[in-house]
Structure formats: C-alpha cells, structure tokens
C-alpha cells in the first residue's frame, strides 16, 4: 500500500495536492491506483513545463538566416541513379541492417472507428487495415531481399493492449512473431492555466501523448536502439500509421542514405502553391529546420528554382530514414517541449465532466522536426506527392479514407494475371467504349486484354475472319467483353462501301460458342418499371442458335411448289409440301435447330437459374408447332426431370413450361424475379420489350453463356448512330453508358472470380454500386432524366456522367 501522507506532502510542496480531493470517496483499489499515478509523476519537471509558458516562442526568423534545404530528387525506374540506389538498398536490407518504426499511438475515433487507428480499414479493394497495408509492404521487402525487417510499433497508453491483442488474434498476419515489437509512447500531464494538474477520473491524472517527437524519448526509455535487431542495425526507417501509400523500408530510400552518407533523409513533396498550408523544410544558419508556411514572406514562399519548383516548397511527409549511430548521438540532447492551448475534457471541482468553450489547458509536446537541428546533415528526398502520400486523417473530405482509396488505387492498379477478350465495335458505342476505359477502368486496373476490332470496316477488310478469330479467342480465354456492332443491311452496305451484307457478328459468335444469351434489366432508384406490378428484374434467356437467324429464304413465283426435302445419310429421302403458290408470287423460308444446341440451351438455363436462385420459365408454341416447338418442350422436360429437379427442389425454386402467349400474360401480371427462357426470335423481341418497360435499352445487361463455361458480356442495345453523328459534328451527347459499363464490370468480375482475384471482383462491384449511387443522387443521362420520378434531375453528358461514377467508386 502506498504511503498517502508522504505522497500528499510531496504534492503540497509543489502546490498540487488538489488532485487528492476525491481520495476519501474512492475504493481501496482506486486509492491505490491514484497514488501510483501520482507517484509516477516527475513533479519537478512538471513545474519546469509550466514555466515554459513564460519563455517567448522563437517563431520569427530573419530571412537572411534561411536558405533552401539540400534536395535529392527521388529517381524513378529508368533514371541512371534508380538502379544504383535500389541495388544498394536491397543489399543493406538483405544484411538485416534496417529496422522499421511505425508511430501508431492514435485512436480511430476521428474516423468513426472504435479502436486503435492502425486497426482501421479504409476499405481499399483487396487490402485490409492500415496495419495490414504496412505489413504488405514489409512482406514485399522480404520477397525482394529474402530478409524480414524487424518492425517496431509505437503504441499509445490508451491503445497499447488493443493493438497487441489485434495482432495476437490475427496471428500477426503471417509475419514472424519475433520480428514485431511493441513499445509505448510517453505521456505528459495536462495543466490548467495556473499550472495545476487535472483529473481525467477521480482516480486518474489527466495525461496526453508527448507529441510525435516523443518517439525518440520512447526509443530511449524502452532501450529499443540498444537491444535485439536494433542493436546491430545501421539505419532506422520511421513513418506514421495513417499514410496508405507509404513505401515501407523503400529500397531506393535506403540505398540513397547508404550511398550519400547522410545522417538523415526525409521524404518530402513539392507544395502545389505558395499558400498551401504545410510545414516546409529549409536551413537556418546551415542547420535543417521545419517552419510553418506563415513564417516566411509571400516573396520567399513564391520564389522558384530554374525548374519551376519552389525554393521553399518541400513539405513534410512524416517518412524518414536515420543513420542509427548518428541518431543515438543526437538523442543525447533532450528535445525541447512545445506548448499547445487546447479545450480538454476533465473533472471540475465537484467531480463532474467539464469541457470549456475556449482553449484553457496546456498540452506539452515534442516535435520530430527538432531532431534535424541536432543531427545536422539532413537532406530532403523529394518524391511525387500522389505516388507516396495518401493520408487517412478525416472521416470525409480531404485526407479521408475516400481520397486515400482513390490515390492508392491509382498508384497500385489491380493486376490481371490472365487476359479477357476485348471486342471493339462501331459508331457511338465505340466512343463510349474508349471513354469507359479511360475514365473509369484504366486509372485503377491494368487491363489485360486480347483485342479484336469488329468494326464493320474491319470485318469487311478481313472478309469477316476477324469475327471467327474473336470467337475462338473466347473459347481459349473463357471471358470476353464486346462492344455493340453493326449488322449491315443494304443501306449500310452502301454507306460503308462494303463488299456484301455480312452476317450478324453476334450470331456468328453464338453459333461457334453454342451459347445462350441472358439479358437482365438494370433497376435503379428513381426509374420505375412501366408495369406497376414488377418489383424485381426479369432475366430473358435467349436461345442463341438457329431459327430465323440461320434461316434459308427465297422468293417464289406464282405457280411454284415449295417442298421441304430431307435426305438421310443412307441415301433415302422424304419430301413435305410446304406450299403451292397458285395465285400469287410469294416468299418462303426454311429454318432449323439441332438437338445438341437445344439440349445445351436447356442445361445452361437450368444451371443459370440454379446459380442465381431464380425460378425458370420456358415458353414456346407447341400447340401450333407440333414438331419444332414441341421438341424444345420435350428436351427441357427430360433434362429437368433427369438432371435438375432434385437440385431445384433443394434450392426452393421451380421450373414450368407454358405457351408463349400465356407466358406474356403471366409476365405482365408477375412481380418479376425469374428467368424466362425463350427461343431465339422470341428472346430477341421480348428482351427489348422488357428493357423498354423497365426503363431503357441502355439499362440492360447481356451475357452469352456457353455449355463449356465461356462468357461474353455486352450491352443489349445497338451502336446509337444518331448520337454518333452528333458527336462527329462536335455536339455534346448525353449517351447512356450503363449497359456497356456493366458489360465491362461483368467480364472483369467473372475473370476475377475465375482467377481468384478478389481485388478485381471487388472493384467491379464498386463500379456498379457507384453507378447506382450516381443515379440515385439525381445525376443521370438525358434518356433517364426524361423518365425519372426524381425531382430536378441533373442531366450530364457522357464524360460528365462517367466522371460522376468514377468519383463515387471509393465512397
């Protein structure tokens, strides 16, 4: 038990006995805790801290004392120094001569996170918490040099236990346990304006972290630099926890200090303007210093070098590397304290929580910047700001998780291990195609595609062999994304000077893949279906082979007899009279289908419905077409009974067949939320009907699925020639890119799923969510603005709309 009387006597000597005013109210345990807290204080130092307020702050400089800091411009791959620095850095890292120290003493409350700031997840696709992001950097160093860097994490008094627990619960995320060390940052009492100690609780003195410069005192107090891996190290890498783009133990940074022999290098970025609010590096009488942007004249702030950069424009990144021996020497001198007036929550005289309206308490802090004056030989290592600086400091706005995600994704674009097939098309959708890639995709994904140009001009030039090659590529790579293309009629042949009316490229690809087309409307907030009962999307499954799209047709003259002739492989034949044109000229068509294709269609429909958890309807007209349509009906029934009934029942979904006219009636009265399987022509017609009834043709996805697992994603609409002609005339268009954008996201998500690329799949979903959010907030293209129920929608042009989507990807 602590000696109350001796502790009280000591407090009275310094006029601080008021901290024991609630002692009589406390339990035995709380009394002991309070006495221990008081006994740990250095009351003589506290008295000196109070008198610091009487010392004038040295915040005015004679400009003649100042000069620009020495700058090393960080080399980039291709620069002559990059390889030299990098190889030297790897050599040093491989030898185990570098330790890493992260300042992680803060809480995440400012971000709306209950826990240590390092455990906050900024929701960067494919990544985890701030701690995990830095661990990824350290694992990357191990992959490059074969050595694990010892990671020292400076915690705070309030978050130490939770930080250690976080690592323990996650098995240190696979990093060697003996290569992670936690140590606490120091704290200092908070004083009121009369120099009195304050209480946080009746049994607890109010204290606050001793500033970022407290890292050096903590390194000393915990003997970090004298023990373990640090004792044998040559360099100390130091950073904060909240920069998502920090390059942990950057080999180029390490190599630069090793080769230049500097005592310290500090990463900096160039200010964007003289007025930017950032501390800047300079020299004062030859010694390095960080000063506030307000502490130099406007003339000095705007002064530039020959290359246009500001002489006094190198801003702090909180990313340093120290020569460890010279750091030890510098730490023999204690850093000065700085005073900050704050509004602080504490107990009043009656024991009630109090926080005044004005700053009336003194916090004492040490600044890291002061170490540079002691070390002397410091240079700025100037980086490109957006490549290495993405801080998470605020819940929203500037330096928030959203801005950090944006910057991180731009600098760490998602890799694609395997390519998808990219099939370009015609007219306005070709322009939309490029804009989607430029504005939404390529800033964040390193697109890996095998490209085919299916513009009508190139199909004509290649005699349409390019279409066949594209289809074969889909069979190889399994996933494709296709732009809308022209199927030329006579007018188009004349317009483009084509050799002939080439077949539909979609039909060619469908035939080669034996695929089924699934088309689903995209439902967005503010656009209600025309059919008031529809609550969920209806997916059309279109048989993509045969029927009218592969038909043989001709004219017939008056008096002609037309027969359907079937020649069997054994030489026999049979003829069926189709029609006798006794009284008039006419037209005739013969169409076909194959059992294998119908069976593939059925299995694909059942499989898709099962994977989506949706009921499946199939419709035809077997009462009229007693052989052709009846065969479709029989195939579906047989495959369902033999292969899918049990799985459907387990899933709680159903299959049923009905006549096509009955199906239309049922669809119009349904709530939606099912797959409607149709023959080729029916599917073509009904998919357009559904798209229009749900909102717009530009709001319908389309995916071709083959029995062997190939997927081709495209928009359900055409090439939008009317908008294209406006575009060619220099007019602004409000073309809706939604279906084409969803073709890309569908393909990328599928490839991400196939390759186990979670980041790619997650990004694809984020883009779709961003589009939903954009329209929900009232920003839309002209076609949607005409039909929305939202009041005062904002109509955007094509590029503006895509930029609005992009800006919401990481919200």
């Amino acid at each position: 038990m602590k000696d109350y009387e001796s502790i009280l006597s000591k407090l009275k000597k310094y006029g601080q006995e008021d901290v024991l005013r609630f002692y009589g109210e406390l339990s035995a345990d709380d009394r002991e805790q309070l006495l221990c807290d008081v006994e740990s204080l250095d009351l003589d130092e506290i008295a000196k801290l109070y008198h610091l307020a009487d010392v004038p702050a040295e915040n005015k400089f004679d400009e003649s004392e100042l000069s620009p800091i020495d700058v090393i411009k960080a080399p980039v791959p291709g620069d002559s120094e990059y390889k030299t620095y990098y190889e030297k850095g790897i050599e040093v890292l491989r030898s185990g001569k570098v330790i890493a120290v992260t300042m992680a003493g803060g809480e995440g409350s400012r971000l709306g996170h209950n826990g240590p700031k390092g455990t906050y997840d900024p929701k960067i696709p494919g990544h985890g918490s701030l701690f995990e992001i830095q661990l990824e950097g350290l694992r990357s160093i191990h992959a490059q040099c074969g050595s694990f860097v010892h990671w020292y994490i400076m915690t705070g008094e309030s978050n130490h236990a939770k930080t250690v627990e976080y690592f323990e619960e996650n098995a240190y995320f696979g990093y060697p346990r003996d290569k992670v060390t936690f140590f606490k940052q120091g704290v200092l009492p908070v004083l009121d304006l009369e120099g009195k100690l304050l209480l946080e609780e009746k049994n607890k003195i109010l204290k606050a972290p001793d500033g970022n410069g407290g890292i050096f005192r903590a390194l000393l107090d915990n003997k970090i630099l004298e023990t373990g891996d640090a004792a044998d190290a040559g360099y100390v890498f130091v950073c904060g926890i909240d920069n998502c783009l920090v390059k942990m133990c950057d080999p180029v940074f390490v190599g630069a200090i090793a080769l230049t022999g500097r005592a310290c290098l500090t990463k900096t970025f160039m200010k964007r303007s003289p007025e930017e609010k950032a501390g800047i590096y300079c020299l004062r009488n030859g010694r390095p210093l960080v000063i506030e942007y307000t502490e130099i004249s406007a003339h000095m702030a705007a002064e530039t070098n020959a290359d246009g950069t500001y002489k006094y424009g190198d801003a702090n990144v909180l990313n340093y590397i120290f020569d460890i021996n010279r750091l030890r020497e510098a730490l023999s001198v204690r850093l000065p304290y700085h005073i900050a007036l704050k509004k602080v929550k504490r107990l009043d005289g009656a024991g009630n929580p109090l926080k005044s309206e004005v700053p009336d308490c003194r916090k004492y802090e040490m600044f890291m910047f002061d170490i540079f004056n002691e070390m002397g030989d410091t240079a700025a290592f100037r980086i490109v700001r957006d490549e290495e600086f993405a801080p998470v400091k605020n819940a929203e706005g500037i330096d928030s998780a959203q801005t950090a995600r944006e910057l991180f994704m731009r600098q760490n674009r998602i890799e694609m291990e395997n390519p998808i097939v990219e099939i370009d098309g015609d007219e306005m959708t070709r322009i939309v195609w490029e804009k989607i890639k430029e504005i939404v995709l390529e800033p964040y994904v390193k697109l890996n595609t095998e490209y085919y140009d299916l513009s009508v001009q190139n199909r004509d030039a290649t005699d349409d062999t390019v279409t066949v090659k594209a289809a074969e590529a889909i069979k190889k790579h399994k996933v494709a994304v296709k732009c809308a293309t022209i199927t030329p009629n006579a007018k188009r042949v004349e317009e483009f000077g084509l050799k002939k009316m080439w077949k539909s490229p979609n039909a060619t690809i469908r035939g080669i893949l034996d695929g089924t087309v699934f088309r689903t409307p995209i439902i967005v907030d503010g656009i209600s279906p025309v059919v008031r009962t529809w609550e969920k999307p209806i997916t059309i499954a279109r048989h993509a082979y045969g029927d009218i799209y592969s038909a043989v047709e001709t004219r017939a003259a008056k008096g002609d007899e037309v027969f359907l002739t079937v020649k069997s492989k054994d030489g026999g034949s049979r003829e069926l009279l189709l029609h006798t044109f006794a009284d008039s000229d006419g037209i005739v068509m013969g169409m076909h289908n194959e059992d294998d294709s119908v069976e593939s269609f059925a299995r694909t429909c059942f499989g898709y419905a099962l994977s989506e958890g949706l009921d499946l309807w199939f419709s035809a007209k077997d009462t009229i077409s007693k052989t052709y349509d009846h065969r479709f009906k029989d195939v579906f029934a047989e495959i369902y009974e033999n292969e899918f009934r049990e799985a459907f029942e387990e899933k709680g979904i159903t299959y049923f067949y009905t006549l096509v006219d009955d199906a239309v009636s049922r669809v119009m009265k349904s709530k939606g939320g099912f797959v409607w399987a149709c023959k080729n022509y029916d599917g073509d017609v009904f998919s357009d009907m559904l798209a229009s009834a749900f909102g717009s043709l530009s709001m319908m996805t389309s995916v071709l699925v083959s029995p062997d697992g190939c997927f081709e994603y495209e928009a359900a609409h055409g090439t939008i020639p009317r908008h294209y002609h406006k575009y060619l005339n220099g007019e602004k268009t409000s073309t809706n890119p939604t279906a084409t954008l969803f073709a890309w996201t569908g393909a990328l998500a599928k490839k991400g799923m196939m390759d186990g690329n979670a980041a790619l799949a997650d990004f694809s979903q984020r883009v779709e969510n961003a589009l939903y959010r954009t329209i929900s907030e009232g920003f839309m293209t002209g076609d949607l603005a005409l039909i929305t129920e939202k009041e005062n929608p904002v109509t955007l042009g094509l590029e503006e709309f895509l930029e609005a989507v992009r800006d919401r990807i990481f919200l």
Side-chain angles (χ1 to χ4, degrees), residues 4 8 11 16-26 34 196-202 346-352:
Y4 171 79
L8 177 61
L11 285 169
Q16 299 286 7
E17 66 272 16
D18 196 45
V19 296
L20 298 180
R21 62 186 180 275
F22 301 113
Y23 187 80
E25 303 176 17
L26 301 177
L34 177 60
K196 300 297 184 180
L197 292 167
L198 300 169
L199 290 174
E200 181 179 351
E201 303 289 347
K202 290 182 178 181
R346 73 275 193 184
L347 297 186
D348 63 14
N352 299 312

Side-chain angles (χ1 to χ4, degrees), residues 118-119 128-129 131-132 135-136 139 151 163 166-176:
T119 64
S129 67
F131 279 132
E132 290 177 81
L135 268 173
E136 289 170 10
R139 278 195 288 264
W151 190 21
T163 299
Y166 177 72
F167 276 80
E168 293 285 356
E169 288 178 347
N170 290 281
Y172 287 75
F173 300 95
Y175 205 73

Side-chain angles (χ1 to χ4, degrees), residues 205-224:
I205 305 294
L206 179 62
K207 301 173 186 175
D210 57 6
N212 56 28
I215 184 176
F216 300 117
R217 183 171 178 175
L219 288 171
L220 286 175
D221 291 348
N222 292 279
K223 302 187 185 308
I224 296 296

Side-chain angles (χ1 to χ4, degrees), residues 7 96 193 239 299 327 370 464 512 554 643 690 702 758 781 807:
I7 291 174
L193 295 181
C239 67
H299 168 74
L327 178 61
D370 291 324
D464 209 24
I512 292 172
T554 187
E643 301 177 28
L690 286 175
S702 179
T781 49
D807 293 344

Side-chain angles (χ1 to χ4, degrees), residues 435-436 439-440 737 741 798-806:
K435 295 299 181 184
I436 286 172
I439 296 172
V440 179
L741 180 59
L798 168 62
E799 293 186 36
E800 294 170 321
F801 182 78
L802 288 172
E803 288 165 357
V805 172
R806 177 200 61 200

Side-chain angles (χ1 to χ4, degrees), residues 568-775:
S568 61
K569 60 183 179 181
D570 61 5
S573 67
R574 61 187 185 276
E575 287 187 346
L576 297 173
L577 176 65
L578 185 63
H579 187 67
T580 299
F581 291 87
D583 302 318
S584 172
D585 294 346
I587 49 177
V588 66
M589 176 173 65
M591 61 185 198
H592 77 284
N593 228 295
E594 296 186 1
D595 277 6
D596 284 350
S597 179
V598 177
E599 289 169 4
S600 294
F601 173 48
R603 287 192 178 94
T604 305
C605 289
F606 285 122
Y608 183 90
L610 197 58
S611 68
E612 299 297 315
L614 298 173
D615 292 339
L616 175 66
W617 301 7
F618 173 58
S619 63
K621 194 68 171 176
D622 64 295
T623 54
I624 301 300
S625 176
K626 299 183 184 297
T627 300
Y628 197 101
D629 280 26
H630 209 292
R631 182 59 184 150
F632 275 85
K633 175 186 176 182
D634 289 345
V635 167
F636 266 77
E638 291 165 9
I639 289 177
Y640 176 67
E641 290 296 334
N642 296 330
E643 301 177 28
F644 288 95
R645 175 183 282 278
E646 185 176 339
F648 265 51
E649 290 175 350
E650 288 179 2
K651 193 84 170 183
I653 57 177
T654 61
Y655 162 71
F656 84 97
Y657 168 82
T658 188
L659 295 174
V660 66
D661 44 352
D662 179 58
V664 172
S665 177
R666 288 173 179 263
V667 164
M668 299 302 288
K669 295 176 182 178
S670 75
K671 292 183 178 181
F674 55 87
V675 180
W676 181 12
C678 299
K679 291 163 55 197
N680 208 346
Y681 182 77
D682 292 348
D684 193 4
V685 173
F686 293 148
S687 64
D688 283 5
M689 178 198 75
L690 286 175
S692 297
F694 270 102
S696 168
L697 267 175
S698 57
M699 300 291 289
M700 175 168 267
T701 64
S702 179
V703 56
L704 177 72
V705 182
S706 74
D708 58 350
C710 295
F711 299 83
E712 181 209 59
Y713 295 81
E714 63 177 325
H717 58 72
T719 59
I720 324 173
R722 181 172 61 87
H723 282 205
Y724 185 56
H725 294 139
K726 290 178 66 176
Y727 174 82
L728 293 179
N729 290 329
E731 299 178 47
K732 182 179 177 180
T733 70
S734 187
T735 310
N736 190 336
T738 299
T740 303
L741 180 59
F742 273 52
W744 272 103
T745 55
L748 294 177
K750 178 61 70 173
K751 178 56 72 170
M753 184 190 70
M754 287 181 171
D755 291 351
N757 189 339
L760 187 62
D762 180 82
F763 173 77
S764 301
Q765 186 61 60
R766 282 178 175 272
V767 172
E768 293 184 7
N769 291 342
L771 184 137
Y772 291 132
R773 187 179 293 115
T774 300
I775 296 173

